[in-house]
Amino acid sequence: MLLDSHLLLKYNNGEKAHIFYANSVYYEQYSDRVYNSDVDDTTQYGPETMTFYTDSPEVDEYKYHVYNYSGGYAGDELSYSGARVTVYYGSQTSETFHVPINQMGRTWNVFSIVDGEIVIENTITP
């Protein structure tokens, strides 16, 4: 199963940015801040790593999800993949999420960050 990390940024001016395999580096307008998909394993079982910054005053919300890139339909394969996401703040582990089991869909909505706080979603949707 091929899983892919995605980060969506929603700016306070209505603009959006999407960082993932096909768009792995994003430079924030008017600054030198870089959002980067550092490691994206497309052939095996990961890991994938992504660096992003939550102190940008222009970003209202960050949404992080994992997509079942190899799934042909919205079955329960993702929920039984054993996938996990670990969030680091610097070198410290902040949160670890495990994919919820017995749910149907191809997108694991892991978490959002709003006003610097992690908002746990941990749901799977089609």
Side-chain angles (χ1 to χ4, degrees), residues 109-121:
N109 306 292
V110 186
F111 64 89
S112 295
I113 297 178
V114 180
D115 295 328
E117 299 293 323
I118 293 178
V119 177
I120 299 169
E121 295 182 25

Side-chain angles (χ1 to χ4, degrees), residues 10-66:
K10 294 182 180 179
Y11 285 86
N12 53 25
N13 66 2
E15 292 183 25
K16 296 179 182 179
H18 186 185
I19 295 90
F20 66 111
Y21 172 73
N23 185 36
S24 62
V25 179
Y26 177 77
Y27 293 90
E28 197 169 66
Q29 189 176 11
Y30 309 116
S31 80
D32 60 357
R33 186 176 309 276
V34 176
Y35 297 87
N36 190 42
S37 176
D38 304 311
V39 176
D40 194 336
D41 186 351
T42 60
T43 61
Q44 293 294 318
Y45 299 102
E48 293 195 4
T49 62
M50 188 173 285
T51 300
F52 61 99
Y53 306 90
T54 61
D55 59 350
S56 175
E58 292 84 24
V59 179
D60 285 337
E61 182 179 23
Y62 304 80
K63 293 184 78 69
Y64 182 83
H65 69 270
V66 175

Side-chain angles (χ1 to χ4, degrees), residues 3-6 64-68 78 85 106-108 110:
L3 303 179
D4 198 26
S5 297
H6 291 253
Y64 182 83
H65 69 270
V66 175
Y67 181 70
N68 179 1
L78 175 58
V85 169
R106 292 180 67 182
T107 302
W108 174 22
V110 186

Side-chain angles (χ1 to χ4, degrees), residues 70-112:
S70 61
Y73 67 100
D76 63 358
E77 295 88 1
L78 175 58
S79 71
Y80 291 103
S81 67
R84 74 174 185 272
V85 169
T86 304
V87 178
Y88 295 93
Y89 182 75
S91 62
Q92 301 294 320
T93 300
S94 175
E95 298 271 349
T96 299
F97 302 95
H98 298 274
V99 66
I101 60 169
N102 199 26
Q103 293 190 21
M104 305 289 273
R106 292 180 67 182
T107 302
W108 174 22
N109 306 292
V110 186
F111 64 89
S112 295

